[in-house]
Amino acid sequence: MTVTTDFLNQLNPSQRRAVEHFCGPLLVVAGAGSGKTRALTYRIANLILNNRVDPENILAVTFTNKAAREMKERVERLFAEQEALARHGKPLQALSEYEQIQLRSYVYKTFIKHLWIGTFHALCSRILRFDIEKYQSEAGHRWTKTFSIFDESDAQSLVKSIVVSKMNLDDRAFNPRSVRFAISNAKNQGYDAAEYEQANQTFKGRTIAEVYRYYQAGLAENNALDFDDLIRLPVQLFRQNSQVLNYWHRRFRHILVDEYQDTNRTQYDLLRLLTTNGQAGRFDDWENRSVFVVGDADQSIYSFRAADFTILMGFQNDFGDGLPDDDTRTLVKLEENYRSTSNILDVANYLIENNTERIDKILRATRGEGETIACYRADDEVAEAEYVVGQIRSLEFDHPELSWGDCAILYRANAQSRALEEVLTRYSIPYRVVGGLRFYDRREIKDVLAYLRLVANPADSVSLKRVINTPRRGIGKTTIDNLEKAAQELGVPLWEIISDETSAKTLAGRSGKAVVGFAKMVQSWQDKVDSATASEIVQDVLADTSYLETLQARGTEDDLERGQNIQELYNAVLQFEEENSEDASLLAFLANASLNSDLEDSKNEGNEVSLMTLHASKGLEFPVVFLVGLEQGLFPSNRSLDDAAAIEEERRLCYVGLTRAQDRLFISHARLRRLYGSDRTPAMPSIFLGELPPDYIQTNIATALPERWTKTQRQAKLSQTRQSSDRPGTHADDWTVGEPVSHPAFGEGKVTHIFGAGNKICLAIHFPGLGKKIIDPKVSTLERVSS
């Protein structure tokens, strides 16, 4: 192909510098909305068109299949455009449909077909199809190239059979889901069973290591791999067999990696081996070879998936020249943002500057100043939802060009969607929950509602069958089938058979005791229907079934979130009782829940308000964004309050949320919040609100944010805040752990942790009855309490 135009002239100077880099290492620090995908695709095109690199020698790694498809489509379109200009002197769209199809076919066969573009899992699977028969595991296991890939359900089943049947373990102490999670985490850190055992010298650690050994043997017996092994095995194979590694090292001369901040240790090991051919120490043989990674430490939010942003932070020492940012030739920063207005970017920049573990950069807007950011303090979570929906309705009325689909509501925890969904439903606004289910469609919510329906209506056999063995109580499918068959033959509801002790014991056999116990438990709730409130019955159901305890015992991220959802259902019951004092019965609540859960799905797909967690929002953008629930203990989450590194990740998560907004950004928090099954308690504004520049923000209450200052004063004030050590109480040396203090809103408490150093500190303070809260002494007034 002859390139007839300088196709790189569409890039800004920083993008062009990155794309034109040929051999050697390069770290591209790509801020939000700075065109990182454009840089990656143009680099692939430039390698082939201007540097004459064979497409077969290029490996491009993405983290999602969607990103891989988008990259392939962009590269193909870029080549087709160049081919159209070279052959016809016209843009691609100016050609006839037949000519366009011919060009695209030629581009695919000549270039795209030979590129390796895909996720780590997809690319490693291809490598293993070639070479897995050359690999032998540390335990002597082997696989053939026709191996199967076990999905998570298959993997869970195998672990469960080992825990329960092979090792006869107590599945409450060694919950199969938790054990599977531990094995997966070990693989992502590159540990085999022996290495995991060495690192976990406890009874539980040694036992999980033994399950790990049996699990790997079970995979090998089935000639199967799980998703973690798809990456781990190539690493082990390359370390075992230098000939295999040398082949792939020579094959992939130019390696590109997207979202480098999200790599884990095993993925890093794979990339390093392919790049250096296993050479120890510093790698310097960059002739006709490059490693080009794109990422942003400020957007690293997946540590719970074993992602390690320090891998990106260490790139300059691992591969680059290690020089300061102003002098280095192996680092390029993409700081021009094409997404958001300057007000939104200034707020985001100001927030993330509070993190210490980052590569310094400042996003610069290519658009205008835009609207001031709105910050709203609501009375409670219901009022917050009404504010958000009210703003959405007003925007739609005032700006006809906007649609529902232009709006997104972001929150820290899935359970927060419930109040928002109910208000959206009330106003008949279509919505979709991105990356998850609507609140009343979630499995754990359906389970608890099924219990409640069974209490209210014993003839509801569908609900009965859903919960009779949930959580598991030893009542199997055969037993349920026998009971149901008898009920059908007698023409009576299933409950009538189960609730009769003689019939249940006769038909259920060895499970008879469990069936009778279940029936008596349900009957005890039914006896209270006329005298107890709906919330009291919910409490009894959760306590008697140990549903919440079971989830908490498993302890995985997913199970803990499901527990939060159940506690939010309890909140929904309490709210219903408050709002419907004339009829707050269980039946009335169930009718209300059905109206919410049975809302007809919008037929206007694509024109719906998007609801999602902040984690799910990564990589997306919306004209209008609502970031809700900025309160201590919610965002940042309770689990991060004792860990300075976790607080920094929470701040990065907030930064990601802010930078999803293109035109309008609304932030909200509540004065009171009923959180996870508790009574409404005072909610302290998030520490992140105190880190935003008030001069960019319009709020509905004067005390919602620290004292305002003008934009021209911003840098001077920032410098003064960081350098001054004169103000009492703003320095780490001013405080000691255990010291009693008094806060104007929360009363007396004790300092439990001091985060940071110098005068850039935060204090964790335990307030009796309110729990632990993190407070910035520069923002909040704290007084010492004499002991």
Side-chain angles (χ1 to χ4, degrees), residues 244-293:
V244 172
L245 173 58
N246 187 53
Y247 170 81
W248 293 107
H249 169 73
R250 286 186 288 107
R251 173 70 180 269
F252 298 132
R253 293 187 171 275
H254 296 276
I255 298 175
L256 300 87
V257 188
D258 191 13
E259 304 287 8
Y260 192 62
Q261 78 279 352
D262 292 334
T263 49
N264 62 37
R265 282 291 151 184
T266 308
Q267 292 162 343
Y268 167 76
D269 288 343
L270 177 80
L271 293 169
R272 184 171 181 85
L273 285 165
L274 285 171
T275 299
T276 68
N277 202 19
Q279 178 180 314
R282 192 164 190 85
F283 181 75
D284 294 314
D285 185 12
W286 294 107
E287 184 178 358
N288 294 319
R289 178 172 298 282
S290 69
V291 59
F292 179 95
V293 303

Side-chain angles (χ1 to χ4, degrees), residues 370-632:
E371 300 282 345
T372 301
I373 285 74
C375 180
Y376 184 80
R377 187 175 83 168
D379 286 338
D380 55 30
E381 71 277 7
V382 178
E384 180 185 48
E386 290 172 342
Y387 163 75
V388 169
V389 174
Q391 290 298 316
I392 291 173
R393 297 176 73 205
S394 295
L395 285 168
E396 192 219 16
F397 180 80
D398 295 336
H399 300 275
E401 73 279 7
L402 287 176
S403 66
W404 303 128
D406 291 324
C407 301
I409 308 173
L410 313 182
Y411 37 78
R412 179 63 181 86
N414 265 313
Q416 290 174 257
S417 77
R418 196 268 309 169
L420 294 158
E421 289 186 58
E422 291 189 357
V423 178
L424 287 165
T425 300
R426 189 191 313 156
Y427 288 101
S428 300
I429 296 176
Y431 70 90
R432 65 189 181 110
V433 179
V434 177
L437 296 170
R438 292 171 182 256
F439 183 79
Y440 286 100
D441 288 339
R442 294 168 192 166
R443 181 178 67 183
E444 59 275 12
I445 302 303
K446 284 180 171 288
D447 287 344
V448 177
L449 288 177
Y451 272 113
L452 299 179
R453 290 191 183 102
L454 180 59
V455 173
N457 175 22
D460 185 348
S461 297
V462 172
S463 292
L464 192 159
K465 287 188 289 182
R466 182 180 181 98
V467 299
I468 191 171
N469 198 41
T470 304
R472 286 184 296 126
R473 48 179 64 92
I475 304 173
K477 184 177 183 301
T478 301
T479 298
I480 297 170
D481 288 345
N482 289 339
L483 293 166
E484 188 171 27
K485 183 178 179 182
Q488 290 172 347
E489 290 181 0
L490 294 173
V492 297
L494 179 58
W495 172 252
E496 192 167 318
I497 300 295
I498 287 175
S499 59
D500 181 78
E501 185 170 345
T502 301
S503 301
K505 284 184 175 180
T506 302
L507 293 166
R510 287 182 298 177
S511 300
K513 184 177 179 182
V515 172
V516 170
F518 170 77
K520 288 183 176 178
M521 180 173 63
V522 175
Q523 285 170 331
S524 71
W525 304 330
Q526 291 171 342
D527 292 341
K528 298 178 182 178
V529 166
D530 294 329
S531 58
T533 64
S535 58
E536 288 170 339
I537 293 174
V538 173
Q539 283 183 313
D540 286 347
V541 168
L542 296 179
D544 295 346
T545 61
S546 300
Y547 198 115
L548 269 176
E549 290 178 28
T550 302
L551 293 175
Q552 291 164 352
R554 291 173 182 167
T556 67
E557 192 84 18
D558 179 55
D559 287 316
L560 293 175
E561 186 174 280
R562 291 176 62 205
Q564 291 176 351
N565 288 336
I566 290 174
Q567 291 167 323
E568 181 60 25
L569 177 65
Y570 177 65
N571 288 349
V573 178
L574 292 176
Q575 180 183 324
F576 177 79
E577 290 175 348
E578 290 174 359
E579 296 174 353
N580 298 273
S581 55
E582 69 285 353
D583 183 8
S585 66
L586 179 61
L587 279 171
F589 169 74
L590 289 172
N592 179 72
S594 294
L595 291 174
N596 280 294
S597 61
D598 292 340
L599 177 70
E600 185 180 354
D601 285 341
S602 170
K603 294 182 174 61
N604 194 12
E605 188 174 349
N607 189 23
E608 305 151 312
V609 175
S610 295
L611 277 67
M612 70 192 79
T613 64
L614 284 149
H615 283 101
S617 74
K618 179 77 162 54
L620 302 176
E621 59 186 39
F622 300 90
V624 182
V625 166
F626 295 86
L627 182 52
V628 302
L630 267 87
E631 298 143 31
Q632 289 297 100

Side-chain angles (χ1 to χ4, degrees), residues 317-336:
N317 290 328
D318 291 341
F319 300 108
D321 54 27
L323 296 175
D325 290 2
D326 291 339
D327 303 322
T328 180
R329 299 173 62 87
T330 56
L331 181 147
V332 172
K333 297 178 183 179
L334 304 185
E335 297 176 297
E336 290 187 58

Side-chain angles (χ1 to χ4, degrees), residues 20 119 353 361 384 386 618 695:
E20 289 186 323
T119 64
E353 284 172 3
K361 71 177 189 314
E384 180 185 48
E386 290 172 342
K618 179 77 162 54
D695 47 304

Side-chain angles (χ1 to χ4, degrees), residues 622-658:
F622 300 90
V624 182
V625 166
F626 295 86
L627 182 52
V628 302
L630 267 87
E631 298 143 31
Q632 289 297 100
L634 182 57
F635 190 28
S637 71
N638 262 322
R639 280 176 282 171
S640 68
L641 296 186
D642 293 340
D643 186 341
I647 286 288
E648 292 217 347
E649 176 149 338
E650 292 282 299
R651 188 177 286 110
R652 293 194 292 270
L653 190 57
C654 188
Y655 174 79
V656 166
L658 297 175

